Structures are given as structure tokens and as C-alpha cells.
Amino acid sequence: MSALADLINLDLSDSSEKIIAEYIWIGGSGLDMRSKARTLPGPVKDPSELPKWNYDGSSTGQAPGEDSEVIIYPQAIFKDPFRKGNNILVMCDAYTPAGEPIPTNKRHAAAKIFSDPSVAAEETWYGIEQEYTLLQKDIKWPVGWPVGGFPGPQGPYYCGVGADKAFGRDIVDSHYKACLYAGINVSGTNGEVMPGQWEFQVGPTVGIAAADQVWVARYILERITELAGVVLSLDPKPIPGDWNGAGAHTNYSTKSMREDGGYEVIKKAIEKLGLRHKEHISAYGEGNERRLTGKHETADINTFLWGVANRGASIRVGRDTEQAGKGYFEDRRPASNMDPYTVTSMIAETTILWKP
């Protein structure tokens, strides 16, 4: 295997100017990630320098067989932590040959919202807490759990240390470093309440870049779990019963919220979010009703409430924000399988553009 490893780790820059670009896009489920690689003549600094490409949409559930071509547009570039050197990962969105965004392309609509002058002027900041569960490949049961059985009850696992509490830390740390290498603004990671469940945080990042970075961080994580022989699950309630679900809490602020007097702006924004609670819930991830039960640090899916330092609320305001009179708030409703393009742009649209 050492010879194979040597070949995988070959440094192309020793013999060629050419680089490898891994084009990434979202598949037909709206959650599955696809990618393929192409050779480029030399290093690239900006997505505008990259060619568009295409793929067979009939094989991803995104086009009929008789008209299967889907065009992918490069939108964001990251350093490739797997191939290293000048090689890159390219986040793309997908269009018909006529230039229309296909239904699973949520980035296109998000870009329109973020390019609105009123939204751009507010410099929207996001910090997204992506929770996930690592599963044993052949039985789809969390890593570290006995086959056909359960570990001890929740309590010792959150931010826990030790072979009987933390399962999969090698994957977590590999992912953390790979994301930082790629240029993703990962701000931290920790073990979660349910054993085998972890979280990483992306942000603070401005506008649509936050969603690009979450998607590429998910891609890198799935590539690492592929190497490790485990399965990544973004299911919001992977194990029924008295076990925490998995969310994607979304921390948010605008320029007005971060300035003096921002607490009043925050309260008005939360009021608007409450008026559109049903619309947000419908866009915040599949299966979220299994997670938002009013238990396990959630608010009931049919109830909207907010509070300071309340992890059982729909919206949590930090104690430091209350004391400073400015800052940010946390939308705790998004599920772990949410589309970050949809969630980030919808929060901006509701709090900035929408008029009750």
C-alpha cells in the first residue's frame, strides 16, 4: 500500500504546471454531493477563470434521459486538502443548457437576495453550527455503540474525553485541519450530547460565502468518512427515543444589530421571524418534526418563542448580547440536513427585506 500512497501524494508541481480541479455540486436529493475532476493548464485564483462544465443529470435525478445535460457554473474556489499543491475544490451550482437554474439549485435565488443593496449594506454575518452523526458502515448504527445495543445514557459525552466517551475524534480532527487548509473559516468543533455525534462551526462569514463554506465543509467531511470507512449522517433524529437530535443552529447578525442600539433591531427581527415561523420551518430541513419536539434542547415545531440564554427556545439571544445592548442571535430551528443557501438567505430576506 505504500506505493499506492506515494502515487496518491505525488506533487505535480515537480513536473508540470497543470493542476486538478474537483468540481462539486449538489445532487437530485438536494442533500447528496457529487464531484468530478478535470485538468487545467495552470493555477487559478478566481472562479471567473474557470470553464463551465456539464454532467449527466439523468444519473443524479436532475434531468430526463432524453435531455440529460446539466451545466455547472463555478462559484467558489478552495484549496484541495486531499491533493494539496495548487489543486483546488470548486463549488458549483447547476443550470439547464438554456441558463435556467434547475430546481435543486438553491444558490441562484440566495445570490439574488444577498446582492440586494439593502441586504449588502447590512453585511450579514453567519455562524453555522453543523451537527452530524458518524455511523458504522455496514449496520448504520452510531460509531462506538454496541451492535444491537445502546451505550450508557446521555451526560458524559458532550465535550467528553476518553475512549468510552468520544468516538471518531480522528475523523473530527482530520476534518478540522482539512477545512482550515482549504480556506474554510471553521471556528471550532466539539463532541455532542449523543455519543457518536459531533459538531463543527463555520463563521463568522459574510453572506452567501457562509453557505458555500458549509457545503464544501460537508463535502470534505464526507470524503474523510469515505477514507475512514464510516458513514456520515445528517439526519436530524438518527436514533429515536431519549437521544438528542442533530441541528444546524444558525447565528446571525447585521451591521445594525452589531452597532449601539442593536438590541432593539434584534428584537424587531425576531418578531418578524415569529410572524413567518411556518414558512421558515417548511424550509429548514426534512424530518425536523422528529427533532423539534420541545425536548432535548428544542422548542416544539408548532411553537415560536425566544429567550435570553434559553436553549429550549426557537431563537436564543446570548446573555452577552443582552448586556452589551447589541450583538447577534441564534436561530435554533434549522435541522442538520438544511440547505444553508436556503436558510441563510431566508433569514436575511425576512429580517431585512420582508415588510409585515
Side-chain angles (χ1 to χ4, degrees), residues 12-20 39-44 86-87:
L12 295 180
S13 63
D14 290 342
S15 60
S16 176
E17 290 273 320
K18 294 178 180 178
I19 68 161
I20 300 172
T39 305
L40 298 175
V44 174
N86 291 320
N87 303 300

Side-chain angles (χ1 to χ4, degrees), residues 204-253:
T205 308
V206 179
I208 203 165
D212 286 334
Q213 291 190 22
V214 169
W215 272 117
V216 176
R218 286 176 174 178
Y219 173 83
I220 292 172
L221 179 56
E222 193 141 27
R223 286 280 303 274
I224 291 171
T225 58
E226 173 189 322
L227 292 170
V230 302
V231 174
L232 169 66
S233 173
L234 296 182
D235 189 291
K237 186 73 173 180
I239 306 296
D242 194 18
W243 304 98
N244 274 36
H249 302 156
T250 301
N251 299 274
Y252 170 74
S253 71

Side-chain angles (χ1 to χ4, degrees), residues 171-185:
I171 292 171
V172 173
D173 279 356
S174 297
H175 176 250
Y176 196 167
K177 290 182 178 180
C179 284
L180 290 174
Y181 177 93
I184 295 169
N185 189 27

Side-chain angles (χ1 to χ4, degrees), residues 24 38 58 75-76 89 128 130 157 169 208 233 249 285 309 343:
I24 304 165
R38 69 182 299 165
S58 69
Q75 299 291 358
L89 304 176
I128 299 173
Q130 177 68 70
Y157 309 108
R169 192 185 297 276
I208 203 165
S233 173
H249 302 156
V343 169

Side-chain angles (χ1 to χ4, degrees), residues 5-312:
D6 288 344
L7 289 170
I8 290 172
N9 294 318
L10 272 178
D11 185 354
L12 295 180
S13 63
D14 290 342
S15 60
S16 176
E17 290 273 320
K18 294 178 180 178
I19 68 161
I20 300 172
E22 189 78 26
Y23 279 45
I24 304 165
W25 69 94
I26 298 158
S29 71
L31 190 63
D32 60 309
M33 303 201 74
R34 311 285 180 128
S35 73
K36 61 178 182 174
R38 69 182 299 165
T39 305
L40 298 175
V44 174
K45 297 295 185 185
D46 190 89
S48 63
E49 301 174 46
L50 291 166
K52 296 173 185 176
W53 207 5
N54 65 77
Y55 65 89
D56 172 15
S58 69
S59 296
T60 62
Q62 294 170 296
E66 64 274 12
D67 187 15
S68 64
E69 193 166 282
V70 177
I71 314 301
I72 41 179
Y73 293 21
Q75 299 291 358
I77 290 176
F78 300 86
K79 292 175 65 178
D80 186 339
F82 303 102
R83 295 188 176 106
K84 305 184 183 69
N86 291 320
N87 303 300
I88 55 175
L89 304 176
V90 184
M91 189 65 207
C92 305
D93 59 354
Y95 297 81
T96 68
E100 294 296 319
I102 66 172
T104 49
N105 180 356
K106 306 303 182 186
R107 192 187 194 282
H108 180 79
K112 285 186 175 180
I113 291 170
F114 284 118
S115 63
D116 184 286
S118 297
V119 176
E122 283 289 356
E123 297 176 11
T124 53
W125 288 8
Y126 295 91
I128 299 173
E129 305 171 28
Q130 177 68 70
E131 295 179 340
Y132 61 92
T133 308
L134 299 174
L135 303 179
Q136 301 170 57
K137 185 176 70 171
D138 296 325
I139 58 174
K140 303 296 174 67
W141 200 237
V143 297
W145 289 38
V147 176
F150 296 87
Q154 297 184 152
Y157 309 108
Y158 171 70
C159 298
V161 179
D164 58 343
K165 305 178 193 71
F167 311 122
R169 192 185 297 276
D170 53 346
I171 292 171
V172 173
D173 279 356
S174 297
H175 176 250
Y176 196 167
K177 290 182 178 180
C179 284
L180 290 174
Y181 177 93
I184 295 169
N185 189 27
V186 171
S187 51
T189 188
N190 59 269
E192 268 303 332
V193 178
M194 188 184 85
Q197 187 184 89
W198 296 81
E199 170 185 303
F200 65 89
Q201 303 96 29
V202 172
T205 308
V206 179
I208 203 165
D212 286 334
Q213 291 190 22
V214 169
W215 272 117
V216 176
R218 286 176 174 178
Y219 173 83
I220 292 172
L221 179 56
E222 193 141 27
R223 286 280 303 274
I224 291 171
T225 58
E226 173 189 322
L227 292 170
V230 302
V231 174
L232 169 66
S233 173
L234 296 182
D235 189 291
K237 186 73 173 180
I239 306 296
D242 194 18
W243 304 98
N244 274 36
H249 302 156
T250 301
N251 299 274
Y252 170 74
S253 71
T254 63
K255 185 177 180 182
S256 300
M257 294 175 190
R258 297 187 294 269
E259 293 176 344
D260 291 343
Y263 195 48
E264 290 304 312
V265 180
I266 288 172
K267 289 194 286 187
K268 289 176 182 176
I270 293 172
E271 182 180 353
K272 292 171 79 173
L273 287 169
L275 293 173
R276 296 190 77 195
H277 177 62
K278 288 184 178 180
E279 291 92 331
H280 279 256
I281 286 294
S282 68
Y284 273 17
E286 295 294 325
N288 214 7
E289 72 283 351
R290 293 182 282 117
R291 168 181 162 261
L292 297 180
T293 62
K295 300 177 181 178
H296 303 111
E297 303 181 65
T298 70
D300 181 83
I301 195 168
N302 297 309
T303 303
F304 181 88
L305 59 98
W306 74 277
V308 176
N310 183 358
R311 283 181 160 77

